[in-house]
Amino acid sequence: MLKQKPLLMLWLAIQLSLLILLQQAFTSWISATFAALLLLRLLTTWRAKETLSLKWVNVLAAVLTLALLLNLKQAGVLHFMLQILLLAAILRLLALQQLYEARQLVWVHYFLLASCFILHQDMLLAAFIMLVLMGNLYSHFLLFSPAGIHLKWQRVSRAALIILPLWLAMFMLFPRLAPFWQIPTANVASTGLSDTLDPGSIEQLVQDNSLAFRVEFSADIPARSQWYWRARLYEDFDGRRWQVNPLRSRSGKDGSVTERSPGSATAQYRVIAEASQQRHLFALATPVSSSNNVAIAASGLVKAVKPVTQRTSYQISSVLQPVKQQSDEELTINLTLPEGNEQTRAFGRQLGQQFQQTSALVAAITAHFQQQPYFYSLTPPPLGANSVDQFLFNTRTGFCSHYASAAAVILRAAGVPARVVGGYQGGDWHQQQGYLAVRQREAHAWVEYLDNGKWQLFDPTAAVAPERILSSLDAVLSAEQRQLLNPGWRKFALLQTLSLQLMHLDYYWSVWVLGFDDNNQRQLWHQLKQQLTRYAYPLLAVISLLLCAAAWYLLRPGAVTAQPEASRLLQQALAGMVKQKPAQQSLSACLRHYASQHPTDRNWLQQLTDSYEQAVFNNDAAALRLLKQQLKRHRADLRRLQRRV
Amino acid sequence: MPALATLKQRLHQRYWQLISVYLDKRQPASSKVKLVQRLIFILPTRYGWWFLLLIVLLYLLGTNYQNNLILLTCYLLLSVFLLCIVLCYQNLSGLTLHCPVAAEGFAGQPIYISIGLSSDNSSADAHVMLSLHFVGQAPQPPLATLCSTVNLAISNTQRGKYRLPRLKISSQYPFGLWRGWSYVALAQDYWLYPSPDGQVKRDLNASAGTKEQHAVQQHGDILAPYRHGDSVRHLIWKRLARDPANPVVREQLSAPEAEPSWVIIPPASGEALERALRQGCRQLLDLEQSGQQYGVKLPHLTIAQSSGPQQLQRCLQALALC
């Protein structure tokens, strides 16, 4: 069984898929080595030659394990485990000899395939992994079956019919527990906004069309102008670059209780965040409560309990009002300005003296951006040392980060605490599917300034390019710049709709499969209980009715009278003898058979047969009466005969 | 470590005694046995336990990473694991075993017992990968597909008439995760005749009345070392006085020649009886081959002269039970 070529080929295919699927976990030399070993196995299988001897395989295993161990620190524990397991599987296949070795191989394949789900949760890839898993299940089946067996579709579908409900019921109803211990995570570069905000960093992000997160609102959908998804606060400015203040890196729980001012709306929504390898997540305005896999940190930021290494969903509800001031420390941090950018500071001071009211000051800045010839562009000219000065008074062309940065500096110079907020703005609303898709290209930067103890939102980009806020980025950009964002295949309409449909499917996938958690499970149980008590009595009544109907159908007198009375009588009388007769033999043939075997009873058995045949085939009432008499007369004989046979 | 081995054997023996009592109550021997639910036992194999460990590991992995897809895989494997119980049961149930003929053979040689297998289910792959062997005998490789008869070896060194031991029929189909098995007792016997002794063959091949035969007869008896059970009357006392450590007896070969077509077993016991029986067995086989009429005279039984396979069987059975 082991030497079967198809089986070896199947295992090779599984290992090749594993190598590709786990590519993230391998550095290039490891991948190359594994691929070479697989190729060797392929060639030897193809030519039906002997592979390496066990001794050489052991030497190879020792050397490669040592190399992987040296690489451990760089790879991390999780990747190391995957590397070692795949190495073991590949070498095992290379020197496969015994049945028990094949069993081990199949076992390790199962484990590795399941581990692939740590790295991939995308729907298509998950489907592929499941397919490979089925392949492994098939190889497992072949291993314990006679050679040359063929799977029958009828049987497979019957098995699937049993497995599917069992499987889904287990998935939905089996208790879900919290993680038992801290687990090693993969060392992968994070995506999305970073801890620093350069003048050019958002432009880079905007060119990335991948999904950042998705949102579904449980009640009313806030207006589009309120879709500011806050992710990071940039409060330290060094003259060119904004950075996250160390104060924010400490994860402090939000101590203040947000009392809702009357009239302010709330939004309840669920965010399904893509894997970003970061802890920063997204929320609207002031979040007040969340599911317990995320925490609301100070200043209304939402952070995951552990880095988001896989698609994560969390429930959150926000009060749609500005974030409150946390401490006096916040005030001093957000008034500090470094040396440089003298022109801007002078402009800010001047505006500050001119407008005592903060709101008037903000309006003046907005007016300045609107009245002067400022341009919104994805490809702003490069800036020198005093970047803000250069942008405000020379180039006057910039992206959202330029405007936010300049506005914050002006506000600080005018004596108003201000900071830059990084996050996402807007998104594609899919009405039919009922969710908002926010991509990396929706990355945005805006300003928050302190007024009346609250951090008010101010988006200078809205002054320059209001379409960016009200519709989308594409509406603002020139055709030439749109070109920049839409490379290659995305131009084809068909492919675009296809990828959109796929994204919708992927959405349901993440909501129903990936996002299914203990909360949903509890709800399900609760619903089941409710439904059960509601439907129990009707259900019971229907089932008992069905049972009664079945009983009536089986026991109704008509069921028996289907055969002629003579046959029924005879069968009753010959119960024991008839049981042994083959199905295709007729009653009279059976009787003749007994007659030939028991010469002493031949006469009356012959008479019995004659009258039986007359009664059944000729519908003779007299013969039927005769049959009854004969049966009565020979009751003792029949009993004796039955004992003998 | 022989002590441990014997302990293990003893424990196994004790276990088998206990099990036998239970099995005899549950399934008394009958000529035809159909495997039904009450006769089939199912437990995980060693690989099944490993598979269960895999499922537990995947559950831990899925829970720790809060990864629903790993949990889905875990539950999928668990449902396959559970389904295998049913499949394993289906693979065995409905199978009917019977043993129509009492097998016969000679002690010391393996004899083959033919077991008839039949099934309610007409499809070709209804019962696959069955392995059958008698309890206490070496296991056999599994049968890929169902065949109507299967020959199973039994080896035993003692002559006699034996009841068939329980037949163990087991299968790990389809995934090797569960082993379904049944101990089937078939109401059938098998015969082990004394193994024919080749040594006497040459003497008997010579037809009665030739010169050499006479010579042996006249020369007297062949001397042989005393074995337990030899009659004291045959001891050569003079030699015993000379060499008390090695007693010698006079071998009685004269009896068969007196009545050439009678196989006579003298009243003896122990090893001497066995020897006589082995020689008698050889004589019977030769007589049957030569086509003569022959009979057997045992101390307590005489079988009239006749010939043919039935006569041979009757005589051999008499020898086996002597």
Side-chain angles (χ1 to χ4, degrees), chain A residues 78 103 107 114 117 121 134 137 140 144 146 152 167 171 174-177 179-181 183-184 310 513-514 516, chain B residues 47 50 54 58-60 63-70 72-73 75-76 79 125 129 144 173-176:
Chain A
L78 176 69
R103 289 179 198 176
W107 195 95
F117 287 127
Q121 277 127 39
M134 289 299 133
L137 201 64
H140 185 175
F144 288 94
K152 284 197 181 137
W167 183 25
F171 178 65
F174 206 78
R176 277 153 190 283
L177 306 175
F180 298 114
W181 58 81
I183 35 157
Q310 56 195 20
V513 181
L514 301 181
F516 190 82
Chain B
Y47 192 54
W50 276 103
L54 172 78
L58 288 186
Y59 183 74
L60 289 181
T63 305
N64 268 350
Y65 278 95
Q66 293 285 297
N67 190 318
N68 277 344
L69 293 176
I70 298 181
L72 267 175
T73 315
Y75 297 140
L76 176 66
S79 8
D125 53 351
M129 300 303 272
Y173 186 78
F175 283 98

Side-chain angles (χ1 to χ4, degrees), chain A residues 308-480:
Chain A
V308 183
T309 52
Q310 56 195 20
R311 208 175 267 181
T312 310
S313 83
Y314 56 95
Q315 191 77 36
I316 209 155
S317 67
S318 289
V319 179
L320 296 179
Q321 61 187 32
V323 180
K324 283 176 62 179
Q325 184 194 343
Q326 298 287 313
S327 59
D328 292 338
E329 202 183 355
E330 226 174 23
L331 208 100
T332 48
I333 292 171
N334 285 305
L335 277 173
T336 330
L337 271 181
E339 294 301 309
N341 293 317
E342 296 302 332
Q343 233 177 322
T344 312
R345 290 164 75 181
F347 177 63
R349 270 194 299 278
Q350 181 209 330
L351 278 181
Q353 281 155 10
Q354 204 174 339
F355 301 98
Q356 292 302 317
Q357 284 245 290
T358 317
S359 53
L361 179 69
V362 171
I365 297 171
T366 311
H368 175 77
F369 281 137
Q370 278 172 342
Q371 284 153 16
Q372 303 290 325
Y374 281 98
F375 302 100
Y376 187 71
S377 168
L378 192 59
T379 48
L383 302 172
N386 288 324
S387 59
V388 181
D389 274 4
Q390 225 176 343
F391 163 67
L392 265 185
F393 302 106
N394 285 341
T395 62
R396 298 191 179 216
T397 305
F399 204 59
C400 54
S401 53
H402 297 84
Y403 288 98
S405 170
V409 172
I410 296 171
L411 280 168
R412 282 189 184 187
V416 177
R419 60 193 181 192
V420 174
V421 185
Y424 296 83
Q425 198 280 320
D428 291 332
W429 175 253
H430 297 287
Q431 179 64 41
Q432 211 177 345
Q433 289 75 23
Y435 73 91
L436 180 74
V438 182
R439 297 165 181 280
Q440 295 291 356
R441 57 191 299 205
E442 259 95 34
H444 191 51
W446 62 93
V447 174
E448 277 178 358
Y449 63 95
L450 195 62
D451 188 23
N452 292 333
K454 283 186 176 172
W455 289 99
Q456 305 288 345
L457 186 145
F458 169 44
D459 190 355
T461 314
V464 184
E467 304 86 352
R468 164 73 179 85
I469 309 305
L470 294 176
S471 60
S472 74
L473 184 63
D474 285 351
V476 190
L477 298 175
S478 63
E480 198 179 310

Side-chain angles (χ1 to χ4, degrees), chain A residues 539-603:
Chain A
L539 206 69
L540 214 68
V542 167
I543 289 175
S544 47
L545 245 162
L546 280 175
L547 278 177
C548 285
W552 177 78
Y553 183 79
L554 288 176
L555 299 178
R556 79 204 148 113
V560 184
T561 49
Q563 56 181 185
E565 201 190 349
S567 308
R568 192 167 53 80
L569 279 173
L570 206 58
Q571 271 182 352
Q572 248 170 15
L574 299 175
M577 290 150 73
V578 170
K579 240 181 240 162
Q580 289 176 4
K581 99 177 162 68
Q584 69 272 17
Q585 196 181 34
S586 69
L587 262 177
S588 38
C590 176
L591 276 177
R592 285 213 188 83
H593 172 71
Y594 283 122
S596 66
Q597 291 221 319
H598 303 280
T600 47
D601 300 312
R602 186 171 296 155
N603 273 334

Side-chain angles (χ1 to χ4, degrees), chain B residues 4-15:
Chain B
L4 265 181
T6 52
L7 179 67
K8 197 177 163 189
Q9 278 167 3
R10 282 215 315 268
L11 278 176
H12 185 264
Q13 211 174 0
R14 185 88 196 109
Y15 156 80

